[in-house]
Amino acid sequence: MTSIKAVCVYCGARAPQTPAHLHAATRLGELLAANKITLVYGGARIGMMGVLADSALKNGGKVIGIIPDHLQQSEVGHQGVTTLHIVPNMHTRKQMMFDRSDAFVVLAGGIGTLDELFEMLTWKQLKMHNKPIIFVDTEGYWQPLLALLDHIIESGYASPSIRQLYTVVRDVEGVVDCFPR
Ligand code: AMP
């Protein structure tokens, strides 16, 4: 049993682009529900986010969605989640997602996913928190980003110690094992 009670998952607002990404979002929802871990996410009914939330709910999991008012239309606020918080702006969303979570997991996504991920990485670098951050590297999706981080370190613009800010797992099956007991 892990001490982690709620996990924030960052992932795309677009539909899964490969069967492996669809599987990752579906399976992560199942795993969180099975381990009685609350899912905290961006509150959308669409895309990777919707697949993840639907899967957690279908398996009896608790799901907290946090969506800014102005995205309720475009990202379609998920009315079926356990709690849907409608917040005034992106900053409030990110802060609330941070406050409600004990760890962060990153599935495939776009620049919104990156924005959210990098805020958590940089806050951790600044010692503002020490929560686990886990990349799920489905089909090597995050390899170019991890290579960029290596390049940044090799170029002297970050300490090699930034590699300790995050963990990379090959697939979602490894996620729960990364959490502290
Ligand atoms: P994407 O990875 O681009 O598909 O976006 C994933 C999620 O990140 C969506 O719910 C976006 O609304 C959200 N997002 C994009 N930019 C930001 C931001 N600056 N702060 C918080 N969430 C964001």
Side-chain angles (χ1 to χ4, degrees):
M1 219 31 184
T2 168
S3 58
I4 299 287
K5 302 281 176 249
V7 167
C8 178
V9 180
Y10 299 130
C11 59
R14 292 187 179 218
Q17 300 293 305
T18 74
H21 291 172
L22 174 64
H23 173 77
T26 307
R27 182 75 182 126
L28 184 58
E30 283 172 18
L31 287 168
L32 294 177
N35 285 279
K36 305 211 177 320
I37 296 171
T38 298
L39 166 66
V40 178
Y41 85 115
R45 211 182 72 202
I46 56 165
M48 287 283 284
M49 287 194 278
V51 172
L52 170 72
D54 284 342
S55 172
L57 291 166
K58 191 173 146 210
N59 289 282
K62 187 173 166 196
V63 178
I64 298 176
I66 304 169
I67 193 162
D69 198 14
H70 77 281
L71 287 183
Q72 274 252 76
Q73 292 280 313
S74 58
E75 294 193 359
V76 196
H78 197 314
Q79 303 302 322
V81 296
T82 317
T83 312
L84 183 66
H85 296 279
I86 297 161
V87 296
N89 54 51
M90 293 295 204
H91 288 295
T92 312
R93 177 197 231 182
K94 279 197 287 197
Q95 184 70 48
M96 206 186 236
M97 288 167 88
F98 169 75
D99 292 339
R100 302 283 165 118
S101 309
D102 306 311
F104 306 95
V105 174
V106 192
L107 296 178
I111 59 173
T113 302
L114 287 178
D115 175 277
E116 295 167 324
L117 158 70
F118 270 97
E119 189 151 23
M120 291 311 112
L121 280 175
T122 52
W123 286 7
K124 195 167 178 180
Q125 176 175 242
L126 298 174
K127 303 201 184 325
M128 292 163 67
H129 74 89
N130 194 28
K131 302 179 185 183
I133 299 172
I134 300 156
F135 285 93
V136 180
D137 192 29
T138 310
E139 293 182 318
Y141 183 76
W142 292 115
Q143 287 302 314
L145 181 70
L146 296 167
L148 175 62
L149 292 175
D150 282 341
H151 168 70
I152 290 169
I153 292 166
E154 279 153 24
S155 304
Y157 286 100
S159 159
S161 66
I162 67 161
R163 294 195 182 99
Q164 279 139 41
L165 299 174
Y166 56 84
T167 307
V168 182
V169 296
R170 281 167 51 100
D171 59 50
V172 289
E173 304 301 329
V175 167
V176 175
D177 287 341
C178 293
F179 295 153
R181 300 275 126 190

